[in-house]
Amino acid sequence: MDSSNELKWQRYWEREGTFIASPSETKKKYFITVPYPYTNAPLHIGHGRTYLLADIIARFHRINGYNVLYPMAFHQSGTPILALSQRIRSGDESMVKMYTNYLSLYEKDPKEIKRILASFSDPKNIADYFSAEIIKDFSLMGFSIDWSRRFTTSDPVYQEFVKWQFLKLNDLGYIKKGTYPVLYSVEDENAVGEDDIKDGDIDKVSIEEYTGVIFKGRNFSLVAASLRPETIFGVTNLWISDRGDYMLCALNGDKVVLSRSSFEKLVYQNHEISLVREIKRSEILGEEFEAPLSGRKVNVYESPIVNPDNGTGIVYSVPGHSIWDYAGIMNSNFHPDPIKIIDVPDDKNTVESLYRRMKIQSVQDSDKLREATQILYKEEYYSGRLNDQNDVYSGMSVKEARDAIIADLKRLGFSIVVYETSRIAETRSGAKVIVAIMKDQWFIDYSNREWKDRTRALVDSMDIFPSSYRESIKEVIEWLRERPCARKRGIGTRLPFDQNWIIESLSDSTIYPVLYTCYPYLVRIFDKKREISPDILDHIMLGYPVPEGKYDGDVMAQIDGARKEKQYWYGVDLRLTATPHLTNHLVFYLMNHVALFSGKDLPHGIAISGLVIVEGSKIGKSKGNAIPLSVISNKYSADIYRLYMSISADPQSVIDWKESEIQSVQKKYLSLVEILSSVNSTSTDIENMSEVEKWFISIFRSRMASFVDSIRNFNIRQGIVSIFFDVMNDIKRLERRGGSRSRMLQLIAGEWLKALSVVIPFVSEEQWHRLDLPGSVANAQLDSYSPENIDRDLIEKESYIDRVEEDVRSILKVIGKEPSRINIYVAGDDQRKVMRAVSENMTKSIQKNLLYLIPEAMKVRNLVSFYKFDELSVLRENTDYFRAIFNAEIHADQAKIEKGKNAWPGRPLIRIE
RNA sequence: GCGGAGGUUGCAGAGCCUGGUCAAAUGCGACAGACUCAAGAUCUGUUUUCGUAGGAAUUCGCCGGUCCGAAUCCGGCCCUCCGCACCA
């Protein structure tokens, strides 16, 4: 079907309001959601997969008698749109180019593209533009979405709702305030997110916590930053960089020395620190310092292994347990004996052995040093114990010792916390990224034990597809700690109790699916009152009484309407989302629901969809391999995309989008269309069918039953295979066996189209109308396919014939000659008796004269089947068929018992002449 | 390292929970034949090895165990993928 035809049906659904849902007195509801898309770029085939799977589930429930609500909204919160707008405004070339490309997907006229691009200097225009295009894309894909309930996260009504949500969370005591380390740009005076950082999406930046160990000296102290404070008893000396500036500072009343850049960072990390003067390196090198806890006196040396920009620009040297330090001393004229303070079970991976084994030459071999450090670190961290050189810490595991030593250093005033980025990072505009401690940071305290337990209990009671994710989800709930929920800038809702903060984009998108149920009512309330006060939402969402007489009849009518819809639709029967949401959105969604809702309003089900890769590699904007949804309907047609996506892999596994495979799916699709197009009318006349035709009807029903069962269990691939490939193969067999294809198609066309419509709705709707069937196929009701309607006997007979066919073939293959006559002998009563006895372990009951059959029976006992039907008559009824396919005389008869080979039940003896 | 998923016959991907009927579904690809002037499409068959009678042998990451019997259960090992966060 070409795209203009698809457009026709898309318009039809829109005109008829086919997917607009409203509460029903009689029908059971089914509410399915997918997280709304972020509106800063066109969506690609990977995004489309999740919405498609949801659409298949939605359409499936519609034809199975449910009142289905599949709504959609748009996400605009956060910084990316804002940042993008800024960059376009400032004329950032790569951005302008990328967005010119994006726009050319939708716009032909270059002038128009320029105009739209210019309008993007206002972030609102970006969001609005892409929202509108996403609606078009989704419609072209045939997604059965109820657009009448749509909204964006920038809408005032949405924000009234988010305010209410945060007031509630605050009342419950889940909102807290505290200091928190964040990635920060001094230049921009703002926290930076992953999207603000150069290559932040490819190479993540995280925050590392160093212990700044204070080494006291006569005139001043040194602050040496370490990730492994448990090695403090192994210190032999201190290192400073052989380059870079050092500063003498006042820190909490002490005089300490740090590198210049470290001083600049620590200012942002909540320390009382001020500059005294710059200090020459030579001045430091002359001093002697005392290591805390051990009291060991150590000297300072310069080394290229120290980067003045990392940590404090000072490190303490533990050559016994740090390969860098070991390399450092090997490369200097100062050679202390490494002090061994950690014992590991074997000495395969010690500093010295690694140094030798990896053939490290100097401190310049940084790749090898890094790798060796990894190995050493793992070995010591997970299997190391502190030996008797460690005072009170002796005998502790490395992990225990680290915690104990950090705590003691802190208690005795010998350490400060130094935060550092996990790699050198800068913002997209080139500003340096550091770690800053934000005072008064608002966060949601997900660490609450009781809250976690309730959420885990909910997860236990939910449908999770695939079920293997149940444990992962529960594990993520365990991980959750405090989550900063507000930022200083970005698009979003202001915190109701602190107007300086904007609620961050994952925190404002947790319980919003409830808004779909009643959004239009809320809009009307807002239009009247210019606000939606919490008591209204308390009533609609939670059922608290509305203050008597506070609202007039008009507003009350809207409130009641909203409450009614919410009560009917909520909670979400299935929320479908892709794996990246597993560790964040999905658990916030669950936790926030548990916090605010109860009973039937809580989520009922979750389904996870897998990634899409293209020709073997991940989809990435920078790779330029993202195929936008908008080109799909033109290039292939939406139906083919839908078919390909649903049959190439199970929903949760990765799909590799391969051009060549799409083409073969396309072929199959076209031959299906051809079959469908050959049907001219429908019929219900089931009189006078041949055996094969009766078989066809039964096997078709069993395919449909398998379809229903599979999709219900989210085995979408299997379900579609049943009604697509399997039915097509059945039709082939029907024809080969001499059944009337056209007559059978008339019988099944209606039901088949209904089933097919969940995956290929456009061609199904087209054929449905061509056959003059009533209404839209999308709203038609599928028959029920209970086992009583399926004649298993017929299906078995046919598979018996197939089996005999195969047996004959495999014999022909071996003997390699053209047959002139094929004799088929079915087992008689004696063999049946013997086989029955053998398979039931009752060999004693066998008559004496038949005992000689037992050895052979034992041999073939796994190959027999006790059919209910009479094998001989089935064969005789089908001799014409066998004659035709083998081009030989066919003779079927009762087998006589003879020495040598025998016929057995379900496994006739075949003799070829 | 922790948590999760997984390693199946050319590829993709079932089967594993509930052991035998599994040389292992289905789709793709490849090969052969039919149709055709031809190509494509379609149809039929083959697609681990051996075999002139439907058989046999060897296979489901590796090693071992349980069992009459293991792709399936148990133990160990190797390898791959995803996540480990404040970021949408």
Side-chain angles (χ1 to χ4, degrees):
Chain A
M1 170 170 292
D2 60 33
S3 55
S4 66
N5 244 334
E6 289 190 343
L7 198 62
K8 178 173 86 187
W9 296 112
Q10 179 210 318
R11 297 237 165 94
Y12 167 82
W13 293 322
E14 203 182 314
R15 195 172 61 239
E16 299 285 317
T18 312
F19 307 123
I20 306 277
S22 49
S24 150
E25 299 277 320
T26 52
K27 279 173 113 181
K28 264 186 84 177
K29 66 96 183 180
Y30 190 82
F31 184 25
I32 182 167
T33 66
V34 178
Y36 39 35
Y38 195 68
T39 51
N40 67 335
L43 299 183
H44 59 64
I45 52 172
H47 300 115
R49 184 182 188 189
T50 311
Y51 300 100
L52 167 63
L53 292 171
D55 184 59
I56 289 173
I57 300 287
R59 285 178 178 271
F60 173 80
H61 280 86
R62 254 182 231 111
I63 61 169
N64 277 292
Y66 287 86
N67 188 19
V68 174
L69 174 57
Y70 178 22
M72 189 59 55
F74 298 103
H75 199 198
Q76 303 186 346
S77 309
T79 49
I81 291 181
L82 216 57
L84 167 67
S85 165
Q86 263 165 16
R87 286 168 70 193
I88 287 182
R89 208 179 322 151
S90 68
D92 180 317
E93 242 175 71
S94 67
M95 266 301 131
V96 169
K97 202 174 149 204
M98 184 186 273
Y99 274 78
T100 307
N101 274 339
Y102 286 166
L103 288 172
S104 61
L105 290 170
Y106 304 112
E107 314 289 341
K108 298 257 150 38
D109 182 7
K111 269 190 205 147
E112 183 63 7
I113 292 176
K114 275 230 164 77
R115 192 193 62 75
I116 296 170
L117 202 59
S119 78
F120 281 2
S121 56
D122 181 350
K124 182 94 182 88
N125 290 333
I126 300 177
D128 288 347
Y129 182 83
F130 286 109
S131 307
E133 292 309 326
I134 288 168
I135 294 178
K136 283 188 209 160
D137 287 349
F138 280 5
S139 304
L140 284 172
M141 297 317 295
F143 296 162
S144 57
I145 291 169
D146 179 352
W147 290 108
S148 71
R149 297 158 185 266
R150 74 170 179 268
F151 51 82
T152 82
T153 59
S154 303
D155 295 352
V157 172
Y158 187 87
Q159 303 204 343
E160 291 289 294
F161 172 75
V162 173
K163 276 186 213 163
W164 172 80
Q165 176 194 349
F166 271 76
L167 288 171
K168 284 280 146 200
L169 289 175
N170 200 26
D171 288 347
L172 289 164
Y174 292 145
I175 306 284
K176 301 218 166 119
K177 202 176 187 182
T179 54
Y180 209 86
V182 294
L183 296 172
Y184 187 84
S185 157
V186 177
E187 204 170 294
D188 303 330
E189 292 181 59
N190 208 328
V192 292
E194 189 181 274
D195 328 281
D196 304 315
I197 295 170
K198 199 170 184 179
D199 296 329
D201 47 347
I202 308 163
D203 186 4
K204 276 202 173 191
V205 180
S206 55
I207 294 172
E208 286 186 335
E209 188 178 321
Y210 284 71
T211 303
V213 181
I214 297 170
F215 284 71
K216 299 258 186 215
R218 232 172 331 152
N219 301 313
F220 49 84
S221 305
L222 295 187
V223 184
S226 173
L227 283 168
R228 300 186 58 192
E230 75 278 8
T231 60
I232 188 68
F233 286 89
V235 61
T236 58
N237 63 289
L238 288 154
W239 298 118
I240 58 171
S241 174
D242 57 358
R243 56 196 193 281
D245 304 328
Y246 285 83
M247 307 303 217
L248 184 65
C249 312
L251 174 73
N252 304 325
D254 283 339
K255 276 187 189 163
V256 301
V257 167
L258 316 147
S259 72
R260 177 193 290 274
S261 59
S262 139
F263 165 71
E264 286 164 356
K265 282 182 245 177
L266 284 181
V267 169
Y268 289 91
Q269 294 186 5
N270 207 17
H271 295 293
E272 257 183 59
I273 190 166
S274 59
L275 180 65
V276 176
R277 64 176 169 87
E278 192 165 330
I279 187 167
K280 286 215 164 55
R281 290 204 297 272
S282 54
E283 207 177 320
I284 308 169
L285 293 172
E287 294 274 336
E288 187 182 62
F289 297 89
E290 183 182 310
L293 302 182
S294 72
R296 185 175 296 136
K297 300 274 196 272
V298 291
N299 294 107
V300 188
Y301 300 89
E302 283 188 343
S303 173
I305 67 169
V306 179
N307 176 355
D309 291 330
N310 191 40
T312 55
I314 300 169
V315 298
Y316 67 80
S317 167
V318 187
H321 298 283
S322 156
I323 195 119
W324 285 97
D325 294 335
Y326 188 76
I329 59 169
M330 297 300 273
N331 280 259
S332 77
N333 45 17
F334 151 77
H335 300 291
D337 282 335
I339 303 172
K340 288 286 172 190
I341 55 142
I342 296 168
D343 290 341
V344 287
D346 66 86
D347 56 3
K348 231 169 56 193
N349 295 322
T350 62
V351 167
E352 293 82 357
S353 59
L354 281 165
Y355 194 83
R356 269 195 309 276
R357 182 144 48 92
M358 300 187 68
K359 299 192 170 60
I360 293 165
Q361 301 292 329
S362 77
V363 294
Q364 308 302 330
D365 292 341
S366 44
D367 286 344
K368 283 186 193 169
L369 283 165
R370 247 188 297 276
E371 195 191 331
T373 300
Q374 283 277 325
I375 298 168
L376 186 70
Y377 181 93
K378 272 186 193 167
E379 181 85 13
E380 293 191 343
Y381 185 74
Y382 294 106
S383 52
R385 258 179 204 286
L386 271 66
N387 66 16
D388 56 11
Q389 304 287 303
N390 292 276
D391 197 12
V392 297
Y393 310 100
S394 299
M396 287 185 183
S397 73
V398 166
K399 204 171 150 46
E400 290 162 351
R402 179 179 299 174
D403 293 342
I405 288 175
I406 288 176
D408 289 348
L409 285 172
K410 199 174 199 172
R411 186 167 48 80
L412 298 167
F414 281 122
S415 76
I416 57 168
V417 176
V418 177
Y419 291 104
E420 186 57 277
T421 53
S422 59
R423 66 170 174 92
I424 295 168
E426 53 183 44
T427 65
R428 291 189 193 274
S429 51
K432 194 169 172 182
V433 173
I434 64 161
V435 179
I437 302 239
M438 297 293 275
K439 286 182 212 164
D440 305 331
Q441 171 71 52
W442 290 98
F443 54 84
I444 300 178
D445 185 10
Y446 286 116
S447 62
N448 184 298
R449 186 67 253 165
E450 185 252 356
W451 192 7
K452 281 182 196 238
D453 288 342
R454 276 162 58 212
T455 311
R456 285 163 59 98
L458 171 68
V459 173
D460 279 331
S461 73
M462 288 173 69
D463 296 325
I464 311 276
F465 301 109
S467 58
S468 54
Y469 281 108
R470 192 185 304 276
E471 284 310 308
S472 314
I473 292 170
K474 284 162 76 175
E475 198 55 39
V476 176
I477 292 169
E478 281 308 296
W479 286 341
L480 281 188
R481 298 200 305 262
E482 304 87 356
R483 177 190 165 82
C485 62
R487 294 175 66 175
K488 291 281 188 179
R489 75 190 177 109
I491 297 172
T493 307
R494 290 192 181 275
L495 258 188
F497 32 83
D498 187 346
Q499 294 291 314
N500 294 322
W501 293 83
I502 292 159
I503 295 165
E504 149 303 311
S505 59
L506 273 174
S507 301
D508 82 350
S509 306
T510 57
I511 53 168
Y512 73 92
V514 73
L515 276 181
Y516 289 124
T517 65
C518 58
Y519 202 78
Y521 292 91
L522 297 182
V523 170
R524 289 191 284 273
I525 294 168
F526 185 83
D527 286 347
K528 281 229 157 40
K529 311 292 293 183
R530 306 317 300 166
E531 64 161 8
I532 300 179
S533 68
D535 52 26
I536 292 179
L537 288 166
D538 277 347
H539 173 70
I540 296 170
M541 301 300 161
L542 306 175
Y544 297 173
V546 189
E548 195 100 17
K550 184 171 172 188
Y551 300 103
D552 64 33
D554 219 18
V555 172
M556 274 315 294
Q558 300 306 327
I559 294 174
D560 291 342
R563 171 74 183 161
K564 207 179 125 208
E565 290 242 8
K566 183 257 156 195
Q567 282 300 86
Y568 178 75
W569 293 112
Y570 224 48
V572 179
D573 291 285
L574 190 70
R575 185 153 181 86
L576 221 152
T577 184
T579 41
H581 273 147
L582 212 58
T583 52
N584 45 54
H585 166 71
L586 213 46
V587 287
F588 301 150
Y589 165 77
L590 295 172
M591 294 283 286
N592 280 273
H593 271 92
V594 166
L596 298 175
F597 292 100
S598 60
K600 74 160 192 68
D601 289 349
L602 292 172
H604 303 322
I606 281 174
I608 306 294
S609 72
L611 277 180
V612 175
I613 60 179
V614 173
E615 308 287 348
S617 42
K618 270 192 179 178
I619 297 177
K621 279 181 202 161
S622 43
K623 288 194 187 124
N625 63 348
I627 303 172
L629 275 183
S630 52
V631 309
I632 289 297
S633 54
N634 281 324
K635 195 168 173 191
Y636 306 98
S637 95
D639 274 351
I640 289 168
Y641 168 82
R642 296 174 60 111
L643 189 58
Y644 178 77
M645 282 305 212
S646 32
I647 60 176
S648 16
D650 278 323
Q652 71 272 17
S653 30
V654 175
I655 284 186
D656 191 355
W657 176 271
K658 288 183 187 155
E659 195 76 30
S660 58
E661 283 183 13
I662 296 159
Q663 276 158 15
S664 62
V665 167
Q666 186 164 17
K667 275 185 216 162
K668 289 281 174 191
Y669 170 80
L670 290 175
S671 71
L672 173 81
V673 174
E674 206 184 307
I675 291 172
L676 292 173
S677 306
S678 71
V679 187
N680 289 317
S681 59
T682 56
S683 144
T684 51
D685 174 20
I686 52 166
E687 298 301 309
N688 304 318
M689 285 195 290
S690 70
E691 281 290 289
V692 186
E693 290 168 342
K694 285 182 191 157
W695 161 80
F696 179 76
I697 295 302
S698 264
I699 192 93
F700 176 75
R701 285 181 179 152
S702 81
R703 302 297 188 202
M704 293 293 276
S706 146
F707 161 74
V708 170
D709 193 54
S710 301
I711 306 274
R712 194 160 278 152
N713 291 302
F714 205 57
N715 292 323
I716 293 182
R717 181 172 188 267
Q718 181 53 55
I720 305 301
V721 165
S722 294
I723 55 157
F724 189 76
F725 291 117
D726 288 348
V727 172
M728 298 242 280
N729 284 337
D730 295 339
I731 292 173
K732 276 184 209 165
R733 183 162 183 93
L734 170 78
E735 288 188 275
R736 186 148 32 98
R737 300 276 285 112
S740 163
R741 180 174 118 164
S742 59
R743 184 174 172 209
M744 290 304 106
L745 284 174
Q746 286 177 357
L747 284 172
I748 65 159
E751 286 297 294
W752 198 21
L753 284 174
K754 289 175 205 166
L756 288 170
S757 77
V758 308
V759 58
I760 44 174
F762 291 101
V763 75
S764 305
E765 193 74 74
E766 169 89 9
Q767 297 295 336
W768 184 263
H769 284 261
R770 199 179 56 77
L771 290 171
D772 262 335
L773 292 163
S776 162
V777 68
N779 282 328
Q781 298 302 298
L782 208 61
D783 285 350
S784 69
Y785 289 92
S786 53
E788 305 88 77
N789 296 325
I790 297 166
D791 189 338
R792 291 279 156 206
D793 225 35
L794 271 177
I795 294 175
E796 285 206 337
K797 273 185 201 169
E798 192 58 29
S799 79
Y800 174 70
I801 292 166
D802 194 43
R803 193 164 150 183
V804 171
E805 212 179 309
E806 266 179 37
D807 275 350
V808 171
R809 277 219 175 79
S810 63
I811 296 170
L812 287 175
K813 197 184 136 202
V814 178
I815 63 174
K817 68 171 186 193
E818 293 293 311
S820 58
R821 179 184 163 100
I822 300 169
N823 300 300
I824 309 170
Y825 303 105
V826 303
D829 285 346
D830 285 342
Q831 288 99 328
R832 296 185 77 85
K833 256 187 254 164
V834 170
M835 184 53 77
R836 183 74 71 184
V838 164
S839 55
E840 285 168 3
N841 251 331
M842 303 276 288
T843 41
K844 293 227 171 74
S845 67
I846 298 170
Q847 293 165 302
K848 268 209 176 115
N849 62 333
L850 297 176
L851 285 174
Y852 74 97
L853 283 170
I854 293 178
E856 192 186 341
M858 292 299 280
K859 224 170 128 191
V860 299
R861 69 188 187 284
N862 290 330
L863 300 167
V864 303
S865 310
F866 291 98
Y867 290 115
K868 289 198 204 95
F869 53 82
D870 176 35
E871 293 180 37
L872 184 58
S873 29
V874 169
L875 290 174
R876 286 195 169 149
E877 282 157 21
N878 287 285
T879 45
D880 287 349
Y881 171 66
F882 284 117
R883 187 179 306 122
I885 58 170
F886 292 119
N887 196 23
E889 277 309 303
I890 306 296
H891 173 73
D893 211 338
Q894 196 77 39
K896 295 192 183 73
I897 293 183
E898 49 189 57
K899 300 276 176 189
K901 248 183 189 261
N902 275 285
W904 295 102
R907 192 179 152 76
L909 184 67
I910 297 165
R911 295 275 181 218
I912 293 172
E913 296 168 15

